[in-house]
């Protein structure tokens, strides 16, 4: 890749040239420079993606997350499959928050069918199936630049945490907390709790020490996505959003017990750190939460930051400290 560094110089960065900077760019690149060009390994695109969406009420929570855990298989779900689940409000279906499960499959509906069966068996209140070409995928699943979450005019804050397995008992607590928030503070009606699952097999094939990215042991990503009008009282952004965001993140983390579906004080691991996906980070996380807890990794990152950006030119977005 070609990188413009903090002093304005243009550097070629690769395994063989400026190798330490190449290591840092893969996981913490926004701290070190602006990429103006790159060479990337590409693959033939999948012409058609299948999307299935299922909506359930709270009484199906246990069964839904049990099916999601089975399908994720500790991060080993099929590489073609992504599942994106949320707690959200949908007043046309229920006065209480609903559970929306979306399956995105890189291939035709016939190939995706085995992965839809467990969710159809739960008798969802609403089902929607669609097949779209790859260029339309982002818009179809609600993550395009014109999607509501990316639209101007709303304040957004995310509170993420890496987890091992969906803890069903914890998810009940998170559901109740989310329900409390949107009931007592209707300005947050557009907010959601997110549960993301991807195949992690290729992520884990990359040697942990070969790049700056630290959290390769996480199987899943949980987060609270706070969305509210910017014209709302300052207390919403200053107090309410982080109050509920941190509560939900703490619940996610405390329920991260290596796969057990119930939790108590004797089973909570004391050595499992709270990992944060840096692209989602709210902004008050520690350097360790975003970039890893290993002493050698932080030492190397901080040394490279001093070398390549001593004045903190690239310091506006979750900087290395």
């Amino acid at each position: 890749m070609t990188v413009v560094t903090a002093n304005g110089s243009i550097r070629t960065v690769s395994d063989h040239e400026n190798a330490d900077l190449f290591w840092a760019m893969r996981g913490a690149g926004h701290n070190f420079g602006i990429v103006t060009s790159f060479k990337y390994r590409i693959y033939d695109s999948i012409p058609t993606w299948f999307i299935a969406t299922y909506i359930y009420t709270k009484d199906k929570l246990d069964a839904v997350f049990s099916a999601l855990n089975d399908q994720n298989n500790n991060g080993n779900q099929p590489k073609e499959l992504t599942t994106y689940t949320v707690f959200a409000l949908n007043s046309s279906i229920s006065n209480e928050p609903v559970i929306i499960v979306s399956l995105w499959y890189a291939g035709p509906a016939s190939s995706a069918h085995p992965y839809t069966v467990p969710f159809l068996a739960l008798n969802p209140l609403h089902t929607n199936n669609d097949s779209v070409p790859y260029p339309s995928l982002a818009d179809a699943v609600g993550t395009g630049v014109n999607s509501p979450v990316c639209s101007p005019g709303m304040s957004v804050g995310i509170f993420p945490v890496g987890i091992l397995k969906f803890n069903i008992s914890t998810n009940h607590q998170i559901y109740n907390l989310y329900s409390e928030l949107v009931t007592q503070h209707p300005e947050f009606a557009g907010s959601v709790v997110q549960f993301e699952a991807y195949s992690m097999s290729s992520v884990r094939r990359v040697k942990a020490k070969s790049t700056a990215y630290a959290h390769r042991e996480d199987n899943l990503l949980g987060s609270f996505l706070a969305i509210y009008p910017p014209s709302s009282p300052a207390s919403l952004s200053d107090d309410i959003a982080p109050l509920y965001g941190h509560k939900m993140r703490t619940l996610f983390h405390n329920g991260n017990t290596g796969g057990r579906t119930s939790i108590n004080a004797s089973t909570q691991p004391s050595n499992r750190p709270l990992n944060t996906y840096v692209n989602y980070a709210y902004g008050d996380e520690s350097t360790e939460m975003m970039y890893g807890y290993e002493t050698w990794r932080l030492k190397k990152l901080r040394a490279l930051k001093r070398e390549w950006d001593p004045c903190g030119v690239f310091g506006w977005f979750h900087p290395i400290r």
Side-chain angles (χ1 to χ4, degrees), residues 214-230:
H215 303 318
R216 296 184 187 276
E217 74 277 13
D218 293 337
N219 294 329
L220 303 157
L221 181 61
S223 62
F224 170 57
L225 174 59
I227 303 175
Y228 51 95

Side-chain angles (χ1 to χ4, degrees), residues 4-17:
V4 179
T5 59
N7 64 5
S9 62
I10 300 174
R11 304 280 183 155
T12 299
V13 181
S14 70
D15 272 330
H16 310 292
E17 193 169 353

Side-chain angles (χ1 to χ4, degrees), residues 14-310:
S14 70
D15 272 330
H16 310 292
E17 193 169 353
N18 296 306
D20 277 350
L21 183 56
F22 188 53
W23 177 88
M25 292 296 294
R26 291 173 293 163
H30 55 278
N31 283 275
F32 293 96
I34 300 170
V35 177
T36 59
S37 67
F38 59 87
K39 293 182 179 179
Y40 205 78
R41 184 182 296 113
I42 62 174
Y43 302 88
D44 292 336
S45 63
I46 306 298
T48 301
W49 282 63
F50 175 72
I51 304 168
T53 304
Y54 309 109
I55 301 180
Y56 308 89
T57 48
K58 181 187 178 182
D59 59 298
K60 298 294 179 68
L61 187 152
D62 292 45
V64 166
F65 283 98
S66 179
L68 287 168
N69 278 333
D70 289 343
Q71 198 166 80
N72 180 254
N73 189 25
N74 295 316
N76 295 306
Q77 68 187 51
K79 65 182 185 298
E80 297 86 359
L81 179 66
T82 295
T83 60
Y84 174 72
T85 303
V86 296
F87 296 156
L89 286 181
N90 187 326
S91 58
S92 65
I93 292 179
S94 174
N95 292 326
E96 294 184 324
V98 294
I99 305 166
I100 305 175
V101 178
S102 296
L103 277 66
W104 311 336
Y105 187 85
S110 56
S111 298
H113 177 70
Y115 308 109
T116 67
V117 170
F119 299 97
L120 288 169
L122 300 178
N123 298 316
L125 291 175
H126 174 81
T127 300
N128 185 68
N129 297 324
D130 196 9
S131 294
V132 299
Y134 178 69
S136 301
L137 180 64
D139 287 329
V141 300
T143 59
V145 294
N146 296 316
S147 300
V149 72
C150 296
S151 298
M154 297 297 285
S155 296
V156 177
I158 312 181
F159 299 81
V161 57
I163 53 179
L164 300 175
K165 199 168 185 177
F166 294 133
N167 185 306
I168 294 172
S169 176
T170 293
N171 289 353
H172 277 284
Q173 297 175 59
I174 293 171
Y175 177 96
N176 291 337
L177 189 61
Y178 170 76
S179 182
E180 174 189 300
L181 169 65
V182 295
T183 299
Q184 296 184 6
H185 303 280
E187 299 91 342
F188 286 93
S191 303
V192 297
V193 181
Q194 303 180 116
F195 307 82
E196 301 178 52
Y198 310 89
S199 174
M200 301 299 292
S201 299
S202 294
V203 174
R204 295 197 182 110
R205 280 198 291 271
V206 177
K207 294 181 179 179
K209 293 186 177 182
S210 66
T211 75
Y213 183 71
H215 303 318
R216 296 184 187 276
E217 74 277 13
D218 293 337
N219 294 329
L220 303 157
L221 181 61
S223 62
F224 170 57
L225 174 59
I227 303 175
Y228 51 95
S231 58
S232 302
S235 61
L236 289 182
S237 57
D238 296 340
D239 300 324
I240 303 300
L243 173 66
Y244 279 87
H246 289 131
K247 281 184 176 180
M248 291 189 203
R249 181 154 65 182
T250 298
L251 285 171
F252 267 122
H253 183 236
N254 288 347
N256 188 7
T257 59
R260 288 179 285 270
T261 56
S262 62
I263 57 172
N264 58 55
S266 64
T267 60
Q268 291 184 29
S270 59
N271 59 345
R272 173 72 181 166
L274 199 163
N275 299 333
T276 294
Y277 178 43
V278 66
N279 285 7
Y280 280 15
Y282 180 67
D284 60 357
E285 294 86 354
S286 68
T287 300
E288 290 79 3
M289 289 168 65
M290 294 185 288
Y291 298 107
Y293 293 81
E294 304 101 320
T295 301
W296 70 268
R297 187 184 301 277
L298 293 174
K299 182 178 180 180
K300 183 172 182 177
L301 276 171
R302 286 165 175 154
L304 289 170
K305 183 68 172 175
R306 289 192 297 270
E307 177 182 353
W308 290 99
D309 186 18

